[in-house]
Amino acid sequence: MSGWLIAVIVVGGCLVVAAGVIALVVWSRRSYYADEKAVLERLKGQAADLGWTYEERNDSYVSVYNAQREYMEQSLLPMPTRRNPLAPLQPYHRPSKAVAAKKIITGMHRGRSFIAALFTVNYANEQSSVRVIWVRTPAPGPALTVSREVRLASRVNKAIGQRDVQLGNPEFDERFEISQEDERFTRAVLNPAVVQYLLSTPCKFESMSLLADHIAFVDQVTDHRDPEQLIPALDLRCDVLDRIPQSAWT
């Protein structure tokens, strides 16, 4: 086979591949914008009826994010030997600092105020986007995080005597790790009703946190502007709060 024919085949193959990549990118962009348009239409159609407010950007909410983190800092820094409830396996870092707030939804859900937004934050000299869906708690409380734990790791920790707070429910104690600031508050929050709910809920989540005056989950929400995702996420948070006795907050 002559050299020029090989060159033609190689160039032609490259062009075909390049055309395929371009077509895929164009299709992906069109699909993304179509999905986003559908989400915004659903939000517009339901926000007024639900009493929600949507803002594409409002950096005044940066102070809301930073105030929550400052409260966490004040709670945790005086106790340097305690693990960071947000990252139990890592040393404590200064709280992240928000510099921008976008795609903000505020309102009430089941009688509780909430904020769902995408914050641009600086943390450990890196900038990233952080999605939050926070529901207000009756009052500020000590920091508490419940995270799913690998069962093998749980058994190893138990064997070497490194265990967190044990609630007396074998399934929960094995499946979840508790990082907490106040054991009395932890036991009041993680009462049998809450424990059973976290074990049985079909909602998939990696962790639940009570920090300052809000409850948050690391769940599978990919676009908080979509009522089809946001409403179940708010229900998850409210379902837990409904099961915590009022006495826990006093």
Side-chain angles (χ1 to χ4, degrees), residues 83-90 144-151 153-154 157 162-167 171-180 186 190 198 205-209:
R83 292 182 297 175
N84 176 9
L86 292 180
L89 301 181
Q90 299 176 5
L144 167 63
T145 294
V146 178
S147 305
R148 291 192 183 276
E149 185 175 29
V150 178
R151 295 198 178 202
S154 175
N157 289 335
Q162 294 184 359
R163 294 295 290 162
D164 53 356
V165 174
Q166 301 293 284
L167 300 178
E171 183 181 6
F172 188 90
D173 290 340
E174 185 170 313
R175 290 176 56 185
F176 292 92
E177 180 180 14
I178 300 171
S179 298
Q180 48 83 36
T186 295
L190 297 178
L198 294 178
F205 67 92
E206 292 301 319
S207 67
M208 177 193 81
S209 297

Side-chain angles (χ1 to χ4, degrees), residues 24-39:
L24 179 61
V25 170
V26 171
W27 177 84
S28 297
R29 288 175 62 88
R30 288 179 177 175
S31 178
Y32 169 80
Y33 287 122
D35 290 344
E36 184 174 43
K37 182 180 179 181
V39 165

